[in-house]
Amino acid sequence: MGIVSCLILPHGAMTFDGNPNGGSPTTERVKVISESQRRDCNALFAACSKAAELARATSPDVIVLNTPHGMSLSRTVGVYLNTTAKGNAEWNGQWTEFEVDIALDTDLSTKLLDHLQSDGVAAEGIFAFAEAPLRWGEVIPLYFLQDFTKAGVKVVITSNPRGKMIEGLEALSKTSHLGRSMAKFLGGLDQRILYVVSCDLAHIHETNCQIPLYLPDPRWNMPPASDTALHFDLAVENWVKGVTFSAEHTMGPVKSLEEKQVKWDGAVAKEAAQW
């Protein structure tokens, strides 16, 4: 059957501050944000919930998740080889109440790794002692898919390299090759596959938010806010919707990916796979 649905879900923990079922820690956080920020969080949570609902209609047997912030290797794609994984969405000491505990499909993960290596993709397995640790980059998208995982649907997790796979237009072909290779493998399976990309967009939008918890860590030395962030996000949105032709076309309005500080390797791989 192969791939039956694809989702691109955000991994910002503030998503959970729109959670109508959030516990007391969430309530305390929400007290310090403005009404407009609260509405934004509500809209984000609702959109993620709607995406999961749409995926539910496709009845997937396996979830394949790509993460930019999990266990990663220096220069190669990582494939998790543990049998289980668990963790919470902790960020700056908050959001620890949002937890995920999942079973990983080790057999399928091993077959995927063998396929990628034989297809010329730089990939290696990653194995953690006991269960594989999950952090916000995996927990947040998987939180919305718990109806599947609690019902026995297993997960395959791939991680992006620590070093950038994308450093300009000339390097897009490497990630595009990864996407095509993933599509070749997943498309040949008998299982129904839900492919999920954990992905945020530009991190340097202008904002009137003054709450440190909701802002980039100063230690990251992020570039200054820029109005090109909006142009970049709109271009990516159009690209994902199929309005523009390709990732190369999408990058036209943007001076450089490095300036935008955005990890979109998973989205480029998705586009190359024509999902």
Side-chain angles (χ1 to χ4, degrees), residues 10 22-23 82 88 106 141 150 163 173 256:
N82 285 77
N88 61 57
T106 309
K150 289 181 177 180
S173 60
S256 72

Side-chain angles (χ1 to χ4, degrees), residues 10-275:
H11 50 238
M14 70 284 297
T15 304
F16 290 138
D17 288 344
N19 180 3
N21 303 311
S24 56
T26 300
T27 303
E28 291 302 312
R29 283 193 303 273
V30 171
K31 286 180 180 179
V32 302
I33 64 177
S34 69
E35 184 60 34
S36 63
Q37 290 166 340
R38 186 178 296 109
R39 287 196 299 269
D40 289 342
C41 290
N42 290 345
L44 191 56
F45 187 92
C48 292
S49 299
K50 180 62 175 179
E53 180 183 336
L54 293 173
R56 193 174 302 115
T58 66
S59 302
D61 302 314
V62 179
I63 298 169
V64 177
L65 172 70
N66 171 261
T67 175
H69 294 305
M71 295 191 298
S72 60
L73 302 171
S74 59
R75 292 291 177 183
T76 62
V77 173
V79 180
Y80 286 29
L81 296 179
N82 285 77
T83 58
T84 59
K86 64 186 298 185
N88 61 57
E90 187 273 329
W91 175 253
N92 287 338
Q94 297 287 324
W95 295 288
T96 57
E97 68 269 30
F98 297 99
E99 301 177 331
V100 166
D101 188 342
I102 59 173
L104 299 180
D105 193 326
T106 309
D107 180 60
L108 188 58
S109 297
T110 301
K111 291 177 180 177
L112 170 61
L113 177 60
D114 290 343
H115 164 80
L116 292 175
Q117 292 176 334
S118 65
D119 202 28
V121 175
E124 294 291 343
I126 302 178
F127 187 88
F129 183 76
E131 71 273 344
L134 300 178
R135 300 179 68 203
W136 79 93
E138 304 79 53
V139 170
I140 296 170
L142 288 172
Y143 179 88
F144 292 95
L145 304 175
Q146 289 187 96
D147 283 356
F148 301 124
T149 57
K150 289 181 177 180
V153 173
K154 293 185 177 181
V155 182
V156 172
I157 300 179
T158 64
S159 65
N160 298 339
R162 180 71 174 176
K164 289 182 180 294
M165 291 184 70
I166 300 176
E167 295 177 346
L169 290 177
E170 71 281 357
L172 282 173
S173 60
K174 295 181 181 179
T175 307
S176 296
H177 176 54
L178 168 63
R180 288 190 293 269
S181 185
M182 291 282 291
K184 186 191 307 181
F185 175 78
L186 298 177
L189 298 175
D190 292 331
Q191 297 106 312
R192 300 172 65 85
I193 306 298
L194 165 58
Y195 190 84
V196 181
V197 178
S198 173
C199 182
D200 283 340
L201 295 176
H203 292 14
I204 55 171
H205 286 273
E206 294 280 357
T207 178
N208 58 6
C209 178
Q210 301 298 319
I211 306 170
L213 190 61
Y214 295 89
L215 296 173
D217 192 314
R219 294 172 296 180
W220 296 349
N221 295 318
M222 299 286 286
S226 169
D227 59 2
T228 57
L230 177 60
H231 296 301
F232 176 77
D233 283 4
L234 290 175
V236 173
E237 180 181 344
N238 286 332
W239 159 51
V240 171
K241 289 179 177 178
V243 176
T244 54
F245 178 72
S246 67
E248 288 87 344
H249 187 182
T250 296
M251 288 180 63
V254 184
K255 295 178 181 178
S256 72
L257 281 176
E258 289 76 20
E259 179 186 358
K260 300 300 145 266
Q261 293 289 310
V262 53
K263 275 281 192 177
W264 67 327
D265 301 25
V268 173
K270 173 187 175 297
E271 184 263 346
Q274 299 182 349
W275 296 333

